[in-house]
Structure formats: C-alpha cells, structure tokens
Amino acid sequence: MDFNELIEKVKHIPYGRNANRYDFSLVISENKGTCSSKHAFLKDFANKNNISNVKLYIGIFKMNEENTSKIFPLLSKNQINFIPEAHCYLKIDGIPLDITSSESFYDKIKDDILEEIEIEPIQVAEYKVNYHKDFLKKWIIETNQTKNFEQIWTIRENCILKLAE
C-alpha cells in the first residue's frame, strides 16, 4: 500500500479515542482514531518511509457553533462563544490535509486558527495535551473568562464527547 492509499484508508476509519494514545498502530487494529492518532500514524509512516514533504501540526482554533455545530447547546448553556481547541493535521508540500474524517475538518476551521506549531508523532500524546492546557490557561487570563481552567476543561471534554456521538 502506498502513502496515498493509506491516507484514503485512514480517512474512512471512524472517529474514536484509542486504548493507548502512544501506540499509533491502534488506528488500524482498533479501526478508530482521533485527529491526533490518525495524523501521527500517517506522519510516522512517512518518517519510516523517507517521505520528507509531510509535516504534522497542532493548530489551536476557536471551537464554536459555526465550525462545530454539534457543541452549540453546551457552549450556549455555559455562555461561552468559543473554546480554544487543539486539532492535529498534516501539511504535504505546505498544503493542509485533514483526514480526521472523510470530510476535511480543516476547511471548517482554517479561518479560526489562533496558532499552529509543527510537531513530531510522539508529541500528540502528552505534549499536545500540555500545550493545549497551557494555551487555555493563558486564554482564560487574557480574556477575563468567568470560569476557571477546570470548568473550561470539563466543558471542553463534554464537547468532545458530543462530537464522538
């Protein structure tokens, strides 16, 4: 299977968290994956096969009712316009590629990206979570949010659960 065939295969694997966020091969064996595990799996494959034009990114975007309509009731109930959310995607020759699902989520969020950084596959586990939490803590202070970090993180987790339904 070549890289393009693998991309197509992974794109159609259902969304879901894997049993071990450090083992990207679970995307195939468990037949599910998140933006993190699916893109880390593909970047790892690219690294192992000397495909050098593939880069892995974390983008922090404004998760809101326009780009993620399923979460509107949760944001509305908590009187929040958006929550900064971390999303992983690839760039191949500098062109964004999001295979989280069969439809590119990147196209929905590209205008709402607040910050992006290039990472390596191993960083989708602990590093991504810590990076996201640090970003949220700064955002809460800078925007004078009325809710604390724990409250915002809980709302965010509930949003993610809603998206997985």
Side-chain angles (χ1 to χ4, degrees):
M1 182 177 298
D2 76 9
F3 191 55
N4 289 328
E5 291 170 330
L6 186 59
I7 288 171
E8 281 305 306
K9 178 181 174 71
V10 173
K11 184 188 291 187
H12 292 92
I13 290 175
Y15 183 89
R17 286 184 172 165
N18 300 105
N20 178 350
R21 63 186 315 150
Y22 295 94
D23 184 356
F24 316 128
S25 70
L26 294 178
V27 167
I28 301 298
S29 61
E30 293 180 352
N31 195 44
K32 65 180 177 181
T34 62
C35 67
S36 298
S37 59
K38 287 181 172 190
H39 293 100
F41 172 75
L42 290 169
K43 172 61 174 155
D44 188 55
F45 179 92
N47 287 350
K48 289 175 179 168
N49 289 279
N50 298 315
I51 305 170
S52 61
N53 62 336
V54 178
K55 309 288 182 201
L56 175 62
Y57 285 85
I58 299 172
I60 302 283
F61 73 99
K62 296 177 183 178
M63 182 170 61
N64 58 40
E65 68 176 287
E66 287 85 34
N67 59 35
T68 320
S69 58
K70 274 187 172 182
I71 65 160
F72 172 67
L74 292 167
L75 294 181
S76 179
K77 182 177 87 174
N78 288 286
Q79 299 173 328
I80 297 174
N81 293 328
F82 72 89
I83 295 178
E85 178 58 23
H87 185 65
C88 286
Y89 46 90
L90 300 175
K91 287 189 180 180
I92 300 178
D93 292 324
I95 299 167
L97 177 68
D98 185 353
I99 55 85
T100 305
S101 66
S102 57
E103 292 182 27
S104 174
F105 185 61
Y106 183 86
D107 291 341
K108 293 180 182 177
I109 67 166
K110 63 185 174 190
D111 295 331
D112 294 317
I113 294 177
L114 301 167
E115 179 175 297
E116 73 175 6
I117 59 167
E118 185 181 346
I119 60 167
E120 286 301 319
I122 193 65
Q123 291 180 290
V124 300
E126 238 174 275
Y127 178 85
K128 179 189 172 206
V129 173
N130 291 333
Y131 173 75
H132 186 194
K133 286 181 175 181
D134 289 344
F135 188 97
L136 274 177
K137 288 173 185 172
K138 285 187 277 181
W139 172 77
I140 288 166
I141 293 166
E142 289 170 3
T143 60
N144 298 312
Q145 293 297 310
T146 58
K147 294 175 177 31
N148 66 29
F149 171 77
E150 288 75 20
Q151 292 168 314
I152 295 281
W153 191 256
T154 299
I155 295 164
R156 179 242 171 224
E157 281 293 309
N158 290 332
C159 288
I160 300 303
L161 290 173
K162 185 79 175 154
L163 293 175
E165 288 177 355

